[in-house]
Every structure is written in C-alpha cells, then in structure tokens.
Amino acid sequence: MESTAIATPTRHKETRLSDWLHERRTVLVGYSGGADSTYLTVIAREILGRDAVLAVLGRSASVPAEQARRAEAMAADHDIDLRVVDSGELADPRYAANPVNRCYFCKSVLWEVLTPIAREHGFQTVIDGTNADDVSEYRPGALAAREHGIESPLAVVGLTKAEIRLLSRERGLATWSQPSAPCLASRIPYGLSVTTERLSQIERAEQSLRDLGIAGDLRVRHHGDLARIELDPGVIDEWLEPRNSRRMVEAVRAAGFQRVTLDLRGFRSGSLNVLEGVVAA
Amino acid sequence: MSEALQSRLGEAGISCRVEQRDRLAIVISEAPISRDDRLLMIQMARGEGFTHVAIELDPDGAPLPGD
C-alpha cells in the first residue's frame, strides 16, 4: 500500500492519464470489472466526477455470473454510474463459429451496442481498458475497437499490467491481485462452435474447482467430450495426488464432461493460441 | 507422434497410452505419476512436437490408484 513502492515513471504515466481524461471531459467506459477497466473507471470517476463517466458492462453467457456480480459490486462501491447491457455476441453466427478472429466479432458487437449509448447520452469519448502490454499481443478485438473509434488511454500513456496492479493496490482496489479473466469462449478451441451449453459447462466446472479451494490461475479448456484443466504450475503436483484428482474429476464431470485431464505444464495465457499455432509455442 | 511419445515414455519406465488431438498429447496411465515423471513427460512431449501434454484423471471411471 506504500506510495514509495510506485516508481517515478509510473507516477508520470498516471499524471498523463489524468491529463488525458481531463481533455476528454466525458467518457463512456467499456467496463468488465477486471483490473484494467476497473482502475481506468475509478480514475476517470475521480478526475471527471460521477456525471461525466458512464461505465457499461456487457453481459452474455460468455461472462461468468460471479465475475459480473463482482463488477457490479465494485462499481457500486466506488459510486460509479453503471449500465448493464446484453452484448448479444452469441447471436452473431460469425462469432459462434469460433474463428481465429472470434474476438473481432465479439468486440464489434459490443462497440455497436455501446457507441449509440454514448451518443445518446452525450459522452464525447468511448474508452476501454487495453493496456500497454496488450498492444504487443495477438488481439483481433483491437481492430474492432479502432474501427469504432474506441480509445485506449492506458495504452496511450504506456501503463503496463504490472503498473496498473501496483497503482490499483495503492488505491485499495480489490482488483489489484485479481487474476486475468478473459471470457469463457477463450477456453474453446477455434473451430469448435461457441454455444451457451459449452460456456455453461466451462463456467460450472471452473466454479466447482474454485469451490474445492483452487486459487490463482485456473482454466478449464473445452475439447468437446474432454476437459483439460490448467492450474498454476506450483500446485499441479498437489492436485495430481489421487485424492485430489478424484475430487477434480467429480467436479468437472458434474459439469457435463465425459473425460477429465490435467495439463502437465499448467496455466498458460493464450494456451489455445499456442495449440492452434496462432502464436509460437 | 503419439506412438513415438508412447514408446519413449515406455523406455523411460512410464507405462501408458498416448492419444493425440492436434498438438495435444493425452497420456493415459493407470499408475500415479511423480513430479519427476511429469517433468519428463513435458520434455518428451515437446521433443515429439506436442505443444501441450495432459494426463487423464480417472480413465474409464476406474478407481484411482492409491484410493
């Protein structure tokens, strides 16, 4: 919590972020309740005031209910004007077909919902929580943001994920240590269609595993009949013990998977991109 | 790929079957695996061109070894 933990260059970036927001005067934030968009929304609320900031949370089957509940609670705790909308990406067959650029279609639908809300309520600028690290990753959703004129101030001022976590901790935001939580569709290999049923299976399996006491990074990758669990590498051997394995199998089978596997390397961000050869191993 | 990996694991004393799904190796073993086994599996799978290796838990719904 000590302010001395924040390096001067990071402070400067936060100052530039404040200036950037001042210049915009009013912003609509594409808000997910994750570390990045929460930090951005809270800063915007502080700098511009409640009436000048509208946070919009897109809801669909690809967002875990628990995650949405936490996002709503966080907004309420910080007196943020929040609107929850049905993002509706599952109704788009281009998204549901789950191509490699699935995120492009998801974000296109989202911004097509959010930009009219911004116009209707007089918000000058629509922003998102893309950070400086994201810019160098494979993110087809970023193209949709550019096409819709969405701005990414965290990336503009060069704030990285690590810096956002430090600044969030300093502000007492619970999201500072929250693991990244990409949408549930990210657990389905490209080409296997995204359906409400599959998303529900993943959500139930991951929640059941959390209920067993698994903390930290956790993903249940959906390979049709087979679930592949990814855990923090440091806890894999503990969960490979027969008694724990049994508990995981029961939890994941109850979510509708026939076969349950545990990835021996553990959690890797973008794991399915590696598997499909979208990015290098 | 899967046969080669299965053969190499067998030579290393890890009796198992290996199933392939794209570049994912699924190891099916009736015996519990140690940390050393796990690290060896990762290394050998990578050497055979797999990007991912996972072990099936409770194959065929049978009681797990050690239960």
Side-chain angles (χ1 to χ4, degrees), chain A residues 236-246 262 264, chain B residues 12-16 27-39 41 55-59 62-67:
Chain A
I236 291 174
D237 294 306
E238 172 191 344
W239 286 95
L240 267 174
E241 289 172 9
R243 183 174 161 275
N244 284 334
S245 290
R246 165 71 75 190
L262 181 65
L264 296 182
Chain B
I14 301 172
S15 175
C16 62
V27 177
I28 302 154
S29 169
E30 291 300 321
I33 65 166
S34 66
R35 174 181 166 77
D36 287 346
D37 291 339
R38 177 171 71 82
L39 298 177
M41 286 177 179
I55 189 156
E56 180 153 17
L57 307 174
D58 195 16
L64 287 171
D67 269 5

Side-chain angles (χ1 to χ4, degrees), chain A residues 6-254:
Chain A
I6 310 289
T8 302
T10 304
R11 287 265 173 249
H12 288 165
K13 290 177 189 177
E14 191 174 56
T15 302
R16 283 169 52 208
L17 175 63
S18 299
D19 293 344
W20 191 98
L21 289 164
H22 261 304
E23 289 169 11
R24 293 330 187 258
R25 295 167 54 183
T26 61
V27 293
L28 182 148
V29 190
Y31 172 73
S32 69
D36 301 325
S37 68
T38 296
Y39 168 73
L40 178 61
T41 307
V42 168
I43 291 277
R45 165 71 181 82
E46 283 178 16
I47 300 293
L48 303 175
R50 189 179 198 279
D51 294 341
V53 179
L54 177 62
V56 182
L57 173 67
R59 282 297 317 269
S60 76
S62 67
V63 179
E66 175 59 21
Q67 186 179 323
R69 188 199 60 73
R70 280 201 310 268
E72 292 183 43
M74 176 65 78
D77 286 349
H78 291 271
D79 190 31
I80 288 162
D81 189 6
L82 175 70
R83 176 178 293 202
V84 181
V85 298
D86 179 2
S87 48
E89 67 272 18
L90 280 154
D92 184 340
R94 298 170 301 173
Y95 169 87
N98 200 12
V100 170
N101 61 342
R102 178 196 65 235
C103 296
Y104 170 80
F105 298 112
C106 174
K107 293 299 183 187
S108 293
V109 170
L110 178 69
W111 300 128
E112 280 162 19
V113 172
L114 266 57
T115 48
I117 295 173
R119 280 197 300 272
E120 182 187 340
H121 294 275
F123 287 89
Q124 304 289 329
T125 308
V126 182
I127 61 178
D128 72 5
T130 300
N131 66 49
D133 296 326
D134 297 334
V135 174
S136 58
E137 294 182 357
Y138 175 71
R139 287 184 180 252
L143 174 61
R146 283 199 298 277
E147 288 177 351
H148 288 81
I150 310 306
E151 300 198 55
S152 304
L154 298 175
V156 168
V157 302
L159 278 169
T160 64
K161 187 79 166 189
E163 290 175 316
I164 291 164
R165 290 195 185 282
L166 280 174
L167 292 166
S168 297
R169 183 175 65 171
E170 184 182 54
R171 286 174 185 278
L173 301 178
T175 47
W176 80 268
S177 60
Q178 188 171 291
S180 295
C183 80
L184 295 171
S186 68
R187 279 69 148 172
I188 303 176
Y190 299 122
L192 184 62
S193 60
V194 179
T195 65
T196 302
E197 182 186 1
R198 287 188 176 129
L199 295 170
S200 172
Q201 277 184 279
I202 295 164
E203 181 174 8
R204 283 184 286 143
E206 290 189 358
Q207 187 57 55
S208 297
L209 292 172
R210 291 282 184 213
D211 291 343
L212 295 181
I214 296 174
D217 286 311
L218 162 68
R219 302 284 188 275
V220 173
R221 308 291 185 186
H222 197 306
H223 295 273
D225 62 327
L226 181 146
R228 178 169 55 86
I229 304 166
E230 291 184 356
L231 304 178
D232 271 336
V235 303
I236 291 174
D237 294 306
E238 172 191 344
W239 286 95
L240 267 174
E241 289 172 9
R243 183 174 161 275
N244 284 334
S245 290
R246 165 71 75 190
R247 296 166 69 207
M248 287 201 296
V249 168
E250 288 172 357
V252 175
R253 281 206 181 127

Side-chain angles (χ1 to χ4, degrees), chain B residues 2-51:
Chain B
S2 59
E3 286 179 7
L5 177 58
Q6 183 174 314
S7 172
R8 287 192 65 193
L9 289 170
E11 288 166 12
I14 301 172
S15 175
C16 62
R17 283 191 298 120
V18 178
E19 184 181 314
Q20 179 177 352
R21 293 197 183 189
D22 297 323
R23 295 196 291 169
L24 164 65
I26 301 161
V27 177
I28 302 154
S29 169
E30 291 300 321
I33 65 166
S34 66
R35 174 181 166 77
D36 287 346
D37 291 339
R38 177 171 71 82
L39 298 177
L40 188 63
M41 286 177 179
I42 294 168
Q43 183 187 0
M44 287 186 168
R46 194 181 289 159
E48 294 300 328
F50 289 100
T51 56

